[in-house]
Amino acid sequence: MKVLVVGSGGREHALCWALAASPLTDALYCAPGNAGIADTATCVDIKPTDITGIVAFATENAIDLVVVGPEDPLVAGLVDALEAAGVKAFGPTAEAARLEGSKGYMKDLCAEAGIPTAAYRRFGAGEGEAARAYARELGAPVVVKADGLAGGKGVVVCATADEAERAIDSALGRDAFGEAGREIVVEEHLDGEEASVLALVDGRNVLMMPGAQDHKRAYDGETGPNTGGMGAYSPAPVLTPAREQRVRETILQPAVDAMRARGTPFRGVLYAGLMLTRDGPRLLEFNVRFGDPECQVLMMRLMSDLLPALVASCDGVLDSVDLRWRTETAICVVMAARGYPGKYAKGEVISGLDLAERSGDVKVFHAGTARDDAGNVVSAGGRVLGVTALGNAVDEAHSRAYAALSRIEWPGGFYRRDIGWRALQRDTIPTED
Ligand code: AMP
Ligand code: GLY
């Protein structure tokens, strides 16, 4: 098969790496890719949101399957456009991608399907007074969210009623969230430990992947600004088989059934961002794609061929697929450019990557990397590398990942030193579900 992966991050490198290993893959392309992806796929210079450009490339090159990594092109209708042109595409349609593209849409679906999530109400322009009243009724802490995609910046967890009023006023009154904040969701604050469950979905069947946890804050000890994700690991010991079963029965399957009943079946990866509360798992958010860096740890653990599973998701026959996973733990530590998620430099030379990968248990996935004229790998983004290691237990994976990181020479880079601390300490909150 001729396969095209859309995207340029660590997630897409991991997907290309897994797809390149498939005996069914005859040719692999990535749009636009990065310096690491270029080692396994032919990179083509097309932006993920250039829908016309991607459809043209796919038809002209007789691509058999397009795998879409990021959410923006999904929400913008890339899969719809590819299918209209007769190209098989892995990922949800624009309508189904609203599960991530609109928080209000997602919350309404949860209400309709009885999916456990935080109590909420939606508010639009001119409804500031009602939103403030609802926030007061819920009581602090309370959460204010932009309705649309905001690149991880659309959520304000407000510790006080004053803070909530300010967040509501600036969202509805002064466009703090931009286009994404014209509408907001005000919701109850949930307490507990966060974890993620990702599943392949074919419109009807849910094929769960192993659980994972990520670290969204920039610095050690869960401090600093929110990022796209500074590290992840799988499995997550807090996600016991009983909890995973409950996530399937109360969250994933009801959502998939409700989307099918609406006439907008969901196909692709459904990612449930969970809060494990004393009353059981509750849904914080749906993503409609692989997480980044969750994808890196999942691909590291995947023993089966990814390609037929993605095709089965497109074709509605996931019930015939059984994915096998290594029992080992995988940890991914993200190396980012100093200053990320704020301003940072680009074009800095990175060396030692071959040394870092010398052990077979380590894979360095590239995110924001490019090659300079001399052929050096240089930094070209905020999140730059995802150093991913396997180990028999979490401590072994952890020490292998950090040993590999110590061999990478890039003075302008930084990374967290405590990725996996929850699993290392088994320091989970008491949950009574
Ligand atoms: P989201 O994009 O909805 O996952 O929100 C981003 C982050 O905000 C989550 O990972 C949580 O840490 C936090 N968050 C969102 N909603 C809530 C909530 N209802 N209660 C507590 N924390 C939340
Ligand atoms: N790591 C979280 C995400 O991909 O949204």
Side-chain angles (χ1 to χ4, degrees):
M1 289 179 72
K2 293 172 88 174
V3 182
L4 168 67
V5 173
V6 174
S8 62
R11 164 182 51 211
E12 287 77 22
H13 191 187
L15 291 173
C16 283
W17 179 69
L19 291 168
S22 170
L24 301 171
T25 302
D26 299 315
L28 183 62
Y29 301 90
C30 188
N34 60 40
I37 291 174
D39 290 340
T40 45
T42 304
C43 293
V44 288
D45 191 16
I46 311 172
K47 283 198 181 68
T49 48
D50 177 1
I51 292 183
T52 317
I54 288 173
V55 172
F57 179 85
T59 48
E60 281 158 22
N61 292 278
I63 298 293
D64 298 298
L65 177 71
V66 178
V67 180
V68 186
E71 62 275 22
D72 292 341
L74 292 169
V75 171
L78 177 57
V79 166
D80 310 61
L82 285 163
E83 283 176 352
V87 181
K88 200 186 285 286
F90 175 79
T93 60
E95 184 61 24
R98 292 181 72 195
L99 280 179
E100 177 168 359
S102 165
K103 301 269 186 204
Y105 177 93
M106 178 281 262
K107 299 293 286 190
D108 287 352
L109 187 97
C110 288
E112 181 186 309
I115 293 169
T117 182
Y120 77 106
R121 276 183 58 190
R122 305 173 70 168
F123 301 96
E127 295 183 305
E129 188 47 49
R132 285 193 293 273
Y134 183 62
R136 273 196 300 277
E137 184 189 321
L138 288 174
V142 63
V143 184
V144 179
K145 297 184 173 180
D147 185 73
L149 291 182
K153 296 185 188 84
V155 176
V156 188
V157 178
C158 308
T160 64
D162 280 355
E163 212 183 306
E165 297 218 346
R166 280 198 298 276
I168 290 166
D169 288 347
S170 71
L172 291 181
R174 275 173 262 131
D175 271 358
F177 297 139
E179 187 74 28
R182 299 265 155 74
E183 220 190 299
I184 58 169
V185 168
V186 176
E187 70 178 42
E188 170 198 10
H189 181 267
L190 299 177
D191 278 322
E193 183 169 332
E194 285 181 54
S196 307
V197 174
L198 288 74
L200 294 179
V201 176
D202 66 357
R204 177 184 299 269
N205 301 292
V206 172
L207 182 61
M208 305 234 300
M209 294 184 267
Q213 281 182 301
D214 73 340
H215 298 263
K216 290 201 174 72
R217 300 295 201 96
Y219 311 133
D220 286 11
E222 309 306 334
T223 59
N226 260 316
T227 70
M230 293 300 290
Y233 50 98
S234 171
V238 72
L239 277 169
T240 58
R243 286 200 180 106
E244 286 187 343
Q245 189 59 20
R246 202 156 157 186
V247 171
R248 170 202 285 282
E249 285 168 6
T250 66
I251 297 175
L252 290 168
Q253 192 68 56
V256 169
D257 292 346
M259 291 299 284
R260 195 174 76 250
R262 283 184 171 193
T264 54
F266 186 94
R267 292 188 195 87
V269 172
L270 190 57
Y271 168 135
L274 307 163
M275 189 68 91
L276 304 174
T277 74
R278 286 184 171 71
D279 303 322
R282 292 169 82 179
L283 183 71
L284 287 179
E285 63 165 345
F286 274 135
N287 293 323
V288 298
R289 48 164 176 91
F290 280 104
D292 185 340
E294 290 87 339
C295 186
Q296 289 85 314
V297 290
L298 290 175
M299 291 307 113
M300 200 75 174
R301 291 187 61 205
L302 181 63
M303 295 165 73
S304 307
D305 189 344
L306 177 65
L307 185 50
L310 301 186
V311 172
S313 158
C314 298
D315 292 347
V317 292
L318 262 183
D319 48 346
S320 66
V321 173
D322 178 26
L323 291 178
R324 294 175 55 88
W325 304 89
R326 291 180 206 285
T327 54
E328 289 107 312
T329 293
I331 285 191
C332 174
V333 181
V334 170
M335 206 169 180
R338 221 171 276 284
Y340 171 80
K343 280 195 171 143
Y344 51 81
K346 289 185 185 175
E348 296 176 343
V349 173
I350 302 168
S351 57
L353 293 170
D354 291 344
L355 281 177
E357 268 188 351
R358 208 173 35 185
S359 129
D361 298 310
V362 175
K363 177 75 195 161
V364 179
F365 293 115
H366 288 226
T369 64
R371 290 216 186 249
D372 66 10
D373 293 341
N376 297 306
V377 172
V378 295
S379 64
R383 291 192 292 175
V384 173
L385 301 169
V387 177
T388 311
L390 276 175
N392 283 316
V394 62
D395 53 348
E396 193 175 52
H398 182 92
S399 44
R400 282 181 181 159
Y402 283 94
L405 276 154
S406 71
R407 298 191 189 105
I408 296 175
E409 286 177 45
W410 174 30
F414 81 99
Y415 53 89
R416 282 181 55 164
R417 312 223 162 228
D418 63 348
I419 300 302
W421 65 266
R422 283 193 184 85
L424 282 162
Q425 294 179 5
R426 298 269 191 281
D427 181 17
T428 55
I429 56 143
T431 47
E432 289 160 15
D433 57 310

